[in-house]
Amino acid sequence: MTAHDTPGQFLDGYAEILADAASTGRRLTRDELDSRRELGAQAAASGHGWRVLVGEHLATARAAWPRTASPDDVLSVIAQAMDAFADGYERAQRLVIRQEEAARREFIDDLLHGRGDPGHLAARAERFGLRLSRVHAVAVAEGPAKYDETDPAPRRVEDALFGRFENRRILFTTKDGRMVCIAPGDQDDVLTHFAKQAHAATDGGQVAIGRPRDGAVGIGHSYEEALNALDVAQRMGFGDPVLHAADLLVFPVLARDRQALLDLVRSTLSPLEQARGGARPLLDTLTAYFDSGCVAAETARRLALSVRALTYRLDRIHTLTGANPTDPTQRYTLQTAVIGARLLNWPTRPL
């Protein structure tokens, strides 16, 4: 809005139209209606509020009221003019909203994927409530369904988030069907509250929180860490409602050299396929054994086996692989291979 943009200037010709049309009882012409629509669009683009503009129209109508015209004719002209003006105003507002949303979506995509000049991103970020000179962390929530910002679940989460942290510099959005929250890295309470609300709104969905990182590029890295944490949780069967990428760093490290991981799983665990029933029962035994801290009684309980039956399975694994899962010096290789198998979805997916 510029200094000379006043509400009154968007009523240009209104008094004349009112006097002429009301005095004859005629309807407004197409050109007159188009002029009202154009002025309504200009008023919206200039940022004027609707209440102020309505007040200006009523004040002008009162001052220019044709004394010789019937009240019904005057009111009919006012209604036609205001309806056309409102039509132009609303159309322009919808266009502005679409343009704002497109700009916001483009900014979010660039920010999360690390595209564009960091300086330009920082300038755009101020418009959307972020200060990229600070350290930020990103939390990503994934539920049973895909969401966009118009769905009830994201709206509930957003209302709860900004209802509590109205004055914080945070950004909430949806991306690829997930909910995303970006907050200053030293404000753990924001992301904790987001995780709680998102978990509830998605009926038990998972939330992953990336590590705090510097600058615009850091936000993209934190976002990727959160996505990777969700992927690891799915592959590994982790059911925790909140995952912290900092606690799962070993898994991306293992997966980074895929060929080395394939070789480890193949050389260490492929002999299990010789067992009756295939590799799956013995692999599940190893998984439960390591997850229970290598405690035989707890492992047997989880697998609904007797301790004797569990001992037989562990001996069979030792015989087939040559590695003894009960020996601390050999356990590490087996456990790493089991983690690799889960990351690679083996044996469901052949190596």
Side-chain angles (χ1 to χ4, degrees):
M1 190 187 305
T2 61
H4 61 274
D5 282 337
T6 59
Q9 78 179 73
F10 301 108
L11 278 72
D12 185 36
Y14 175 60
E16 291 79 3
I17 290 173
L18 181 63
D20 182 69
S23 63
T24 61
R26 66 174 178 83
R27 294 188 59 81
L28 270 62
T29 66
R30 176 175 296 180
D31 288 344
E32 288 170 338
L33 293 173
D34 286 345
S35 70
R36 298 305 97 196
R37 291 190 183 94
E38 177 60 28
L39 288 170
Q42 292 176 16
S46 295
H48 286 289
W50 180 245
R51 180 178 297 181
V52 173
L53 293 165
V54 169
E56 288 288 329
H57 275 81
L58 294 177
T60 300
R62 188 180 299 110
W65 191 283
R67 303 302 175 190
T68 59
S70 72
D72 286 345
D73 289 338
V74 176
L75 292 175
S76 175
V77 172
I78 293 173
Q80 293 174 64
M82 286 295 298
D83 185 64
F85 188 88
D87 183 51
Y89 186 91
E90 291 171 357
R91 287 185 185 182
Q93 272 204 326
R94 287 195 294 269
L95 177 61
V96 169
I97 290 171
R98 286 196 297 269
Q99 290 173 337
E100 283 289 320
E101 179 55 32
R104 183 174 183 270
R105 180 56 57 186
E106 181 182 11
F107 164 72
I108 289 170
D109 289 345
D110 290 347
L111 184 65
L112 295 180
H113 294 297
R115 294 193 295 257
D117 175 73
H120 185 46
L121 274 176
R124 294 158 67 193
E126 289 285 344
R127 178 180 172 190
F128 299 106
L130 294 180
R131 187 171 294 159
L132 297 189
S133 59
R134 302 183 65 173
V135 172
H136 288 84
V138 182
V140 180
E142 186 172 57
K146 292 187 177 296
Y147 306 101
D148 62 39
E149 291 186 18
T150 64
D151 291 328
R155 289 206 304 270
R156 287 199 300 272
V157 174
E158 185 175 22
D159 289 345
L161 193 63
F162 286 98
R164 179 169 176 179
F165 303 108
E166 182 179 3
N167 298 320
R168 305 284 186 92
R169 286 183 169 267
I170 57 181
L171 189 148
F172 174 86
T173 187
T174 59
K175 175 70 176 169
D176 297 330
R178 305 179 185 93
M179 287 180 273
V180 179
C181 180
I182 303 172
D186 59 351
Q187 297 180 12
D188 294 339
D189 54 338
V190 175
L191 296 183
T192 299
H193 189 64
F194 166 76
K196 179 181 178 181
Q197 296 299 323
H199 178 68
T202 57
D203 296 324
Q206 276 188 315
V207 182
I209 302 176
R211 288 180 295 170
R213 300 293 193 107
D214 287 323
V217 175
I219 287 177
H221 288 326
S222 185
Y223 173 67
E224 288 299 325
E225 284 184 345
L227 290 181
N228 289 336
L230 289 172
D231 182 59
V232 165
Q234 183 179 14
R235 291 172 181 267
M236 301 297 293
F238 297 156
D240 308 58
V242 181
L243 307 160
H244 292 270
D247 298 334
L248 303 173
L249 292 179
V250 66
F251 299 102
V253 170
L254 288 174
R256 191 166 295 141
D257 190 339
R258 182 179 176 83
Q259 188 56 52
L261 193 61
L262 283 167
D263 291 343
L264 175 65
V265 174
R266 186 182 293 116
S267 63
T268 305
L269 299 178
S270 61
L272 297 181
E273 294 179 307
Q274 301 171 25
R276 183 180 300 173
R280 174 56 67 187
L282 295 181
L283 184 63
D284 289 344
T285 300
L286 283 172
T287 299
Y289 184 64
F290 294 134
D291 286 350
S292 64
C294 301
V295 178
E298 175 61 19
T299 305
R301 187 190 66 79
R302 292 188 183 191
L303 295 173
L305 297 172
S306 66
V307 174
R308 182 177 179 181
L310 172 66
T311 302
Y312 172 79
R313 286 194 182 186
L314 295 177
D315 288 342
R316 184 65 175 147
I317 291 168
H318 184 188
T319 300
L320 290 171
T321 65
N324 185 357
T326 64
D327 183 343
T329 61
Q330 300 178 36
R331 184 182 299 156
Y332 177 75
T333 298
L334 268 177
Q335 187 167 7
T336 305
V338 168
I339 292 172
R342 293 167 76 174
L343 290 173
L344 296 171
N345 197 22
W346 181 85
T348 302
R349 181 181 297 170
L351 297 176

